[in-house]
Amino acid sequence: MNKRMKHFKMRYIVFGLLVLMLGALLVFMHFGGFSTGENANPEEFATYAQSVENITIPENSKIIALGEASHGNIEFQKLKLDIYKQMVEKYNVKAFVLEGDYGGSEYVNRYIHGGEGNPKEAAAAIGFAIYRTDEIAELISYMRQYNESAPEGEDLRFYGSDMQRIFYSFQFLNESSKELGVDTTILQKLMDGEDWNSEYDYDSRIQIITKIKHELMRKENSTKAIHFADMLLQYCKLQTLTSSEGSTLRDKFMAENVQWILQQEQQLGYERIFVSGHNSHVAKWGSYDSMGKLLSKKTENGYYAIGTDFYRTESNMPTRSSTKRTNQVFYSHNPLAKASKMAGFDISWLDFSSVPKNSELGELISQYTYMGNLGEGYSWFMRILPPSYRIFQPPAVLYDSMIFVADATPTQIATK
């Protein structure tokens, strides 16, 4: 009897331990640790934190970049419009540059200048599912309404910095070439619907597009047409590389495209542009040559980066299925984001230049710390590997200032 009781008790102990271990694992997987992370001093944070409406930019800034810690949150998409409006009103910025397809963004640009369609159709043309939202449609609506009453030459313009889609860039290259008197007979054979014609290989595509580009270079007023050709050439080169090599080259191309856009705006008499993209692209420093890192070097002190982060997010992310998305909860473990929430802010802006370097907060923003960094993809494996959705860097090295969202909510993505 005693022996049976011992076995019985042992089973309960083992079962209890297993339950505790499972509970601990579930807590760890939910929070990305056994808590919501360390916390900066909320009172000190509140001393320096400001409303997003009070954002100010140094006068020497040429490129103002806004990052997002996640593509799948309403708040980060709304910030695009909120900050851009301020850039328009306070700093006479006319150009909005999105981490989106250049050709698709030209479709948007034509729409905001009186083109046919509606804001949601224009948003869908950008080429990425993350932009088929009410928030991006609202941004596009604002730009169109602004242009309806804007004096000549003071209109808003919409650009894309990316080259990962070909349909609209090809369509507009073909259209522009015809208008400039360039024979497009062979060019038109390159496409079959919305994709490449399989009869032409990589070398043939490069050769044909390059030939069209050289012919355009002999024409006047062909700058935009040439850029469509450049987008297609960038796309072709990108497809020949591995994922890691392609990511680095993509950022290099985006940096070049942003510089080209800045030059176009300066020729129109405007010295600044506003750029929006993921934090990993706009950050001024990192383990690889990101767009922001390259632009920061090339524009010296003319690049101003605003990073973003969340305390808690429920983000809309794609699964491994090409047709399904999921809403998933994550915690950044960023002590600044946590302090912002504990101080009572739904959203706050912290200008790093306003924080004394010898203060507790000043030391924190210069030290390595965790920050949220969600990409466009979800796997259950992320739950047991928190570094997969966080970065560990000094905030003040990556950005000039940051915006913190206490509880970020998921976007609703429209189906095509």
Side-chain angles (χ1 to χ4, degrees), residues 319-379:
T319 63
R320 297 198 174 191
S321 167
S322 59
T323 58
K324 294 182 179 179
R325 299 183 71 91
T326 179
N327 294 340
Q328 295 292 326
V329 173
F330 295 94
Y331 291 81
S332 70
H333 278 219
N334 184 339
L336 298 171
K338 188 171 183 178
S340 180
K341 179 178 176 63
M342 296 301 106
F345 294 106
D346 291 328
I347 298 180
S348 66
W349 173 61
L350 185 65
D351 179 7
F352 294 156
S353 67
S354 70
V355 182
K357 292 183 179 180
N358 61 352
S359 66
E360 183 181 338
L361 190 61
E363 292 178 0
L364 178 59
I365 63 176
S366 300
Q367 296 173 353
Y368 279 78
T369 190
Y370 287 111
M371 290 176 279
N373 190 52
L374 286 167
E376 181 64 354
Y378 173 73
S379 168

Side-chain angles (χ1 to χ4, degrees), residues 176 179-180 216-226:
S176 302
E179 291 175 354
L180 292 167
L216 287 169
M217 290 172 71
R218 294 194 288 268
K219 304 288 185 177
E220 293 183 359
N221 302 318
S222 61
T223 302
K224 285 189 71 172
I226 291 169

